[in-house]
């Protein structure tokens, strides 16, 4: 009887699931070779011309402060410049006679919202207003930052994301987290609003005064502590090994036969050798059943790929099927 059995496609199940890993970095650890968390300072300058090499920012890579400001504005806030809930979009009506009435269509930008709830983003557009950007590399955050896991602190100030993309200082919104890009953006020193809804931002208030600069600049300093959790998809493969009632019901273990002897290999050691082939009396009864302790997974060339060991020996049933489930992650 063969010791191999072919698995069918229906015997293999691959299931994806998300796993998370926590990270915490402090101060100079940000710029370590295996970390590389960078910080940038962006500012809305008055100059209409950009000069290469001027007003650079960044601890690891050097970027222009003006380009950082405008890049963040375009990527994540272009729909929210005229209002925290999004800029209005003009629409047009196409008539059956081929004419168009109303305003022409103005496309919206894709600003990487973290959910489908009513959006609420604030971006400073005043002269010389600034932002701080913390950029976490993808080798640390994986597929995306786990919502609700981002924590950034400096001194007595602690910022925490609420799991909806809002970065909060207590109950005040101070910025946004772009989970899929590993980007944390600090745009102001605190906007009021009710946490029961999503109206964190109040435009036209005095909250966006001179205090914003010092608050934002604090998070560009080297004394930060940053904690977050990464998210990665792992695939678990499950193999169902089924032993029919008439399969694997005999053992090739030489100790089961009488007359077994220890045969020397010439080097001082020995190995068991089956005897005359006569089974011992204790294994000839109908009640005898081999026990399974190990299952090996082989490829088509009968090369061993993986070994699964059972927690305790499992007797092979002679009256019903026996199924062994093998799981491993990759």
């Amino acid at each position: 009887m063969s010791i191999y059995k072919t698995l069918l496609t229906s015997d293999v199940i691959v299931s994806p699931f998300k796993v998370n890993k926590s990270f915490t970095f402090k101060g100079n650890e940000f710029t370590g070779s295996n970390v590389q968390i960078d910080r940038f300072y962006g500012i809305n300058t008055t100059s209409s011309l950009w000069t290469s090499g001027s007003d650079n920012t960044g601890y690891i890579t050097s970027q222009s402060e003006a380009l950082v400001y405008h890049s963040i504005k375009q990527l994540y806030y272009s729909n929210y410049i005229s209002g925290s809930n999004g800029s209005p979009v003009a629409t047009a009506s196409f008539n059956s006679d081929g004419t168009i009435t109303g305003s022409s269509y103005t496309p919206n930008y894709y600003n990487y919202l973290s959910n489908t709830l009513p959006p609420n983003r604030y971006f400073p557009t005043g002269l010389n207003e600034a932002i701080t950007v913390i950029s976490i590399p993808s080798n640390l955050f994986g597929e995306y930052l786990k919502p609700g896991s981002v924590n950034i602190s400096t001194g007595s100030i602690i910022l925490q994301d609420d799991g909806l993309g809002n970065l909060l200082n207590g109950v005040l919104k101070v910025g946004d987290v772009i989970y899929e890009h590993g980007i944390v953006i600090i745009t102001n020193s605190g906007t009021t609003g009710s946490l029961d809804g999503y109206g964190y931002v109040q435009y036209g208030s005095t909250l966006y005064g001179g205090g914003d600069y010092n608050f934002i600049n604090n998070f560009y300093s080297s004394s930060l502590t940053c904690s977050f959790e990464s998210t990665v998809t792992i695939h678990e493969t499950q193999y169902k090994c089924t032993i029919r009632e008439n399969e694997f019901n005999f053992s090739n273990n030489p100790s089961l036969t009488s007359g077994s002897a220890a045969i020397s290999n010439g080097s001082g050691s020995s190995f068991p050798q089956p005897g005359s082939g006569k089974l011992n009396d204790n294994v000839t009864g109908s009640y005898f059943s081999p026990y399974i302790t190990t299952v090996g997974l082989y490829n088509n060339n009968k090369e061993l790929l993986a070994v699964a060991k059972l927690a305790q020996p499992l007797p092979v049933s002679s009256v019903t099927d026996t199924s062994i489930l093998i799981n491993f992650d990759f």
Side-chain angles (χ1 to χ4, degrees), residues 16-328:
F17 64 95
K18 303 290 185 182
V19 295
N20 305 106
K21 182 178 181 180
S22 300
F23 294 92
T24 298
F25 300 104
K26 300 178 180 180
N28 295 331
E29 293 177 349
F30 279 45
T31 57
S33 60
N34 59 339
V35 179
Q36 299 286 287
I37 297 177
D38 213 344
R39 284 152 290 168
F40 301 99
Y41 191 72
I43 189 168
N44 187 21
T45 61
T46 58
S47 174
S48 60
L49 297 176
W50 172 69
T51 304
S52 178
S54 64
D55 299 322
N56 285 339
T57 182
Y59 284 81
I60 301 172
T61 59
S62 182
Q63 303 290 341
S64 163
E65 292 179 349
L67 292 184
V68 169
Y69 173 89
H70 290 289
S71 296
I72 294 296
K73 175 182 175 182
Q74 177 65 30
L75 282 172
Y76 307 120
Y77 296 93
S78 50
N79 286 331
Y80 306 96
I81 300 304
S82 65
S84 63
N85 294 320
S87 304
V89 178
T91 59
S93 297
F94 294 85
N95 304 316
S96 58
D97 59 359
T99 60
I100 301 175
T101 57
S103 304
S104 59
Y105 174 71
T106 302
N108 257 347
Y109 296 98
Y110 183 70
N111 286 153
Y112 300 96
L113 299 177
S114 59
N115 53 65
T116 58
L117 295 172
N120 197 309
R121 287 186 177 178
Y122 165 78
F123 193 78
T125 58
L127 185 62
N128 291 325
E129 287 196 288
I131 60 172
T132 288
V133 179
I134 300 173
S135 177
I136 302 171
S138 60
N139 65 306
L140 290 182
F141 70 78
E143 297 167 13
Y144 55 85
L145 293 170
K146 179 183 177 181
S149 70
V150 179
N151 185 294
I152 300 172
S153 62
T154 178
S156 61
I157 306 174
I158 300 175
L159 308 184
Q160 176 73 47
D161 88 282
D162 65 353
L164 301 174
N166 303 301
L167 188 64
L168 304 180
N169 179 14
V171 297
L172 302 178
K173 179 172 180 179
V174 297
D176 300 277
V177 179
I178 314 300
Y179 299 115
E180 62 266 50
H181 291 171
I183 297 291
V184 179
I185 308 166
I186 302 167
T187 60
N188 62 91
S189 59
T191 61
T192 60
S194 172
L195 291 179
D196 295 332
Y198 301 96
Y200 294 115
V201 179
Q202 291 183 350
Y203 283 80
S205 71
T206 59
L207 289 171
Y208 308 113
D212 281 359
Y213 175 83
N214 293 330
F215 182 86
I216 291 171
N217 193 53
N218 282 335
F219 291 92
Y220 182 65
S221 71
S222 59
S223 60
L224 287 186
T225 297
C226 179
S227 301
F228 58 89
E229 291 185 36
S230 64
T231 304
V232 176
T233 300
I234 288 181
H235 293 83
E236 181 184 70
T237 303
Q238 181 182 89
Y239 293 91
K240 182 181 180 182
C241 304
T242 301
I243 304 171
R244 304 299 180 190
E245 60 184 52
N246 61 341
E247 295 177 328
F248 300 99
N249 52 12
F250 183 80
S251 174
N252 291 321
N253 192 323
S255 65
L256 299 183
T257 59
S258 60
S260 295
I263 306 299
S264 174
N265 61 4
S267 61
S269 59
S270 59
F271 57 94
Q273 177 72 16
S276 62
K278 181 180 178 181
L279 293 174
N280 295 329
D281 293 339
N282 63 325
V283 298
T284 56
S286 59
Y287 62 86
F288 172 77
S289 174
Y291 281 71
I292 298 172
T293 59
T294 306
V295 178
L297 297 178
Y298 294 78
N299 61 15
N300 292 333
N301 296 322
K302 293 183 172 58
E303 297 171 333
L304 183 63
L305 303 178
V307 174
K309 291 186 176 293
L310 280 66
Q312 59 185 25
L314 176 69
V316 178
S317 175
S318 60
V319 295
T320 187
D321 295 346
T322 302
S323 293
I324 300 174
L325 301 180
I326 301 174
N327 299 318
F328 68 88

